[in-house]
Amino acid sequence: MGSAAAGTWLDDLETRVVQRRAARVRRTWPSPEYQRDPNKFCQEQLNFEPWDKQAEVLDALVPPGAWVSVVSGHKIGKSSLAAGAAHWFASSFDEARVVLLAPKAEHIRVVIWREVTKFYKRSGRCPDCRAIELREGKTPDPCPFCSPLGDPDWLSVEPHRGLRYPDGREIFGYTARDVDAIGGLSGPNMLFIYDEASGIPDGVFNAMKGNAAGGVRVLMIGNPLRTTGEFYASRHDPAKKRLYKTFQISSEDTPNARTGRVMIPGLATRQWCNERAEEWGKDSVLYAVRVRGEDPKYEEGQLVPVDVIEAAEQRWESARAEGRLQIGVDVAFTGDDAAIAPRRGQKILEVTSIANAGDEEQLAEHVMSAARAHRLPHELPPLVVYDSNGAGVRLGKALQRYAGEIEIVGVNGTNTARRPREFFQLRDEVACGFAAWLKAGGAIPTDGKLQGEIGHTKAFDAGGGRKRVISNDALKKILGRSPDRRNACELAVWEVRTLTSEDGPLVKEPTQAEVRSYASLRGDAGRAAPAPGISPYAGAIDPYGGRGGRR
């Protein structure tokens, strides 16, 4: 035998030896090996080390027919927990079906499915490949000794198409709107995972219960935003509590928060918890719900519940910015911050806080920068609505320099309310109008300080059934700052009444022809004309209390 032939024979022999060794250690899925140890599965097959509270929840899913309810704060690893549970179940049981549900499609696609995809693509790597991943910072292609959970082609980028194995096992995601589809699901081994469970209506849970006879496991997890519904009842209704194993996980419990060091990237840190305490107040409902994972205890007169604030933030990304540009301005030159909030239709576009705004000329320049940044070509001049009480008088005069570019409206909160039988002063009517706008579908950007300012706003009876809102001075004692951001947003959504004169409207909404013109310039002429902005009340509101003319 020649040397070349001998070399080839030895190479073939070595290849066969490696293949046989790999076949002995390589797993095929589904495997019963991890049925009673989901944490070991996550560690060995997903390269995911659950921290102690996550590990307790995973262990609770092991018994057949387990129903588990987890109430938590933010940033405790909810999505990785859900994705790890999904892969464990689908890889451990024959004919497994995992259904992921959340209130909104964006949450399924952007948050949960991203974790499912990440775990799947790096699954089953052998120790040598893991060492390469740790060294090079990227997951290598699987070698013969690896046991990936499946072929990459079996995974769709769309959650509703899911991860579908040739043997019939599957993981897929639905939104809470897909009640009919959920009711039609069946199988001997099913796991339903409800993320942000407070926002899922009872009809979805009832549809799932129709499949309970088939061996259903349930994992509900989320912030405790509501005091009604299945998620709340699982922890408080005596009959429901017998069905569920319950957990409460605080953001203060994470390894990062406990040690003061970043042990697990992405989880809440001690600094994050301290910042939330500063923004919201440690004794606030927001801190209790979003950090400690405690059920909300609403105080009498609270204008905007936590779930309304949460929903308004969640709507922001998808909310369409349509309609005339209106800019709310809370005025401050010394001490407190000024704030500027531009709005279109149902969307506050941004909230800008300005520390040490200087004098009225400098603040007016900030306002104009916002107006010019957000105004569309050939659009009606932006409507600038500012607090004209006290220092606001100076800003009103400074804004007159730009009267050719903007419509200027001063609102004096100490004036008589438009509906004096319902509100003590105009400022109370404006604040309650903003609360109504949020409840009716308004969208706000995520801003911790704005959340705290909204969450602490309360109204009480000033006599005769009239509402009076907590004063800025009283709120400053609670938060350590004035509610500038909230005040600017209130003015941004305040519906300015059309005022008529011999020359026509002084302040008016765009005509349909103008709307079509704007749409053509933006390249979206085929869209329907935008609906009018949400009005807190029936009809338009005159901020001048019937006194006529702009001030």
Side-chain angles (χ1 to χ4, degrees):
M1 181 184 297
S3 59
T8 302
W9 181 82
L10 288 173
D11 289 342
D12 290 344
L13 177 61
E14 183 178 356
T15 299
R16 289 195 297 271
V17 170
V18 169
Q19 288 175 342
R20 289 177 181 177
R21 286 176 53 213
R24 285 196 296 269
V25 300
R26 190 170 55 241
R27 295 174 176 83
T28 57
W29 307 104
S31 169
E33 177 181 356
Y34 298 104
Q35 285 184 357
R36 302 199 61 78
D37 200 342
N39 284 287
K40 186 178 180 181
F41 171 85
C42 289
Q43 294 161 8
E44 295 184 353
Q45 301 305 321
L46 303 181
N47 198 18
F48 162 47
E49 183 81 36
W51 63 283
D52 54 324
K53 296 291 186 180
Q54 290 176 322
E56 291 176 17
V57 173
L58 288 169
D59 284 339
L61 286 170
V62 170
W67 286 19
V68 180
S69 176
V70 184
V71 65
S72 75
H74 282 282
K75 299 173 76 66
I76 60 92
K78 294 190 293 291
S79 299
S80 57
L81 172 60
H87 281 305
W88 160 72
F89 192 80
S91 301
S92 299
F93 297 93
D94 292 325
E95 301 181 66
R97 305 183 79 182
V98 181
V99 186
L100 303 164
L101 297 115
K104 287 180 173 286
E106 292 87 350
H107 190 79
I108 286 285
R109 184 174 60 253
V110 176
V111 181
I112 304 176
W113 201 247
R114 181 179 179 181
E115 289 293 302
V116 170
T117 300
K118 180 182 72 175
F119 284 161
Y120 184 71
K121 288 184 175 180
R122 74 182 192 189
S123 66
R125 296 305 190 266
C126 69
D128 287 344
C129 287
R130 281 197 189 182
I132 294 173
E133 180 179 8
L134 184 62
R135 184 173 63 250
E136 298 182 2
K138 61 180 180 180
T139 303
D141 292 334
C143 74
F145 291 86
C146 293
S147 306
L149 299 182
D151 191 288
D153 292 339
W154 300 344
L155 176 71
S156 173
V157 296
E158 295 296 334
H160 69 278
R161 299 185 184 277
L163 168 58
R164 300 183 186 271
Y165 294 92
D167 61 4
R169 292 173 295 127
E170 56 187 354
I171 303 173
F172 50 92
Y174 285 141
T175 69
R177 295 189 296 269
D178 301 317
V179 179
D180 293 338
I182 298 165
L185 296 172
S186 62
N189 289 304
M190 298 191 67
L191 171 62
F192 284 84
I193 299 177
Y194 301 91
D195 200 8
E196 301 300 339
S198 272
I200 296 178
D202 282 352
V204 176
F205 293 106
N206 293 334
M208 175 274 296
K209 291 173 184 177
N211 304 310
V216 170
R217 286 174 171 89
V218 174
L219 171 61
M220 296 193 297
I221 188 166
N223 303 122
L225 300 176
R226 294 182 174 84
T227 54
T228 58
E230 181 77 13
F231 189 44
Y232 180 81
S234 70
R235 307 183 310 279
H236 295 280
D237 185 304
K240 296 285 179 68
K241 286 172 67 175
R242 292 196 295 268
L243 301 175
Y244 288 92
K245 174 72 173 176
T246 60
F247 296 88
Q248 179 180 340
I249 305 177
S250 169
S251 307
E252 298 170 332
D253 292 335
T254 69
N256 298 350
R258 290 199 304 255
T259 64
R261 295 182 290 120
V262 179
M263 309 292 290
I264 303 175
L267 296 187
T269 62
R270 186 176 296 175
Q271 179 183 351
W272 182 88
C273 294
N274 291 338
E275 289 172 350
R276 300 295 82 75
E278 181 182 347
E279 290 176 340
W280 303 333
K282 200 159 188 176
D283 296 328
S284 68
V285 174
L286 277 169
Y287 193 88
V289 170
R290 292 184 168 186
V291 177
R292 293 187 175 129
E294 297 175 354
D295 289 302
K297 297 177 181 178
Y298 297 118
E299 300 180 20
E300 185 177 357
Q302 186 174 0
L303 283 182
V304 186
V306 175
D307 61 309
V308 174
I309 300 173
E310 186 96 3
E313 292 174 341
Q314 291 176 353
R315 285 191 292 267
W316 190 84
E317 287 288 348
S318 58
R320 298 179 67 174
E322 297 180 324
R324 187 178 185 183
L325 178 63
Q326 179 167 326
I327 301 172
V329 184
D330 183 66
V331 182
F333 299 123
T334 58
D336 298 323
D337 296 345
I340 299 173
R343 172 188 68 93
R344 286 189 187 276
Q346 294 178 252
K347 185 173 187 175
I348 298 286
L349 305 179
E350 63 182 6
V351 180
T352 303
S353 180
I354 304 168
N356 301 317
D359 59 22
E360 60 271 19
E361 298 295 339
Q362 290 174 293
L363 182 55
E365 289 175 4
H366 283 292
V367 173
M368 292 310 301
S369 293
R372 290 161 182 162
H374 292 285
R375 185 181 181 185
L376 300 174
H378 304 289
E379 184 179 12
L380 285 173
L383 193 61
V384 174
V385 184
Y386 70 100
D387 176 7
S388 64
N389 189 34
V393 174
R394 291 155 51 195
L395 176 65
K397 292 178 180 177
L399 288 173
Q400 290 299 326
R401 290 174 46 200
Y402 307 99
E405 294 185 62
I406 57 174
E407 296 277 2
I408 307 165
V409 178
V411 176
N412 187 334
T414 63
N415 282 351
T416 303
R418 285 285 297 161
R419 292 185 285 178
R421 293 184 179 180
E422 297 181 42
F423 301 99
F424 184 74
Q425 288 181 325
L426 185 59
R427 67 176 298 273
D428 308 308
E429 190 169 10
V430 171
C432 291
F434 178 56
W437 180 84
L438 288 171
K439 294 174 183 177
I444 57 174
T446 299
D447 182 309
K449 290 187 176 180
L450 175 60
Q451 295 163 1
E453 292 166 14
I454 296 173
H456 278 285
T457 304
K458 301 173 188 175
F460 56 92
D461 190 344
R466 295 181 300 166
K467 289 182 180 178
R468 187 168 189 176
V469 173
I470 184 173
S471 70
N472 286 358
D473 288 341
L475 204 50
K476 189 173 183 178
K477 293 179 180 178
I478 297 172
L479 292 172
R481 65 179 186 275
S482 185
D484 311 298
R485 291 167 171 81
R486 191 205 77 205
N487 292 157
C489 289
E490 290 170 351
L491 294 169
V493 306
W494 179 246
E495 292 290 336
V496 177
R497 187 176 188 179
T498 298
L499 307 174
T500 58
S501 70
E502 294 179 359
D503 298 323
L506 297 176
V507 178
K508 67 186 184 69
E509 294 293 328
T511 65
Q512 293 300 304
E514 288 169 334
V515 167
R516 287 192 293 271
S517 174
Y518 310 153
S520 175
L521 287 165
R522 293 197 308 267
D524 57 357
R527 294 182 187 173
I534 294 177
S535 171
Y537 316 109
I541 299 168
D542 179 358
Y544 314 107
R547 293 169 176 81
R550 282 170 289 163
R551 296 190 173 185

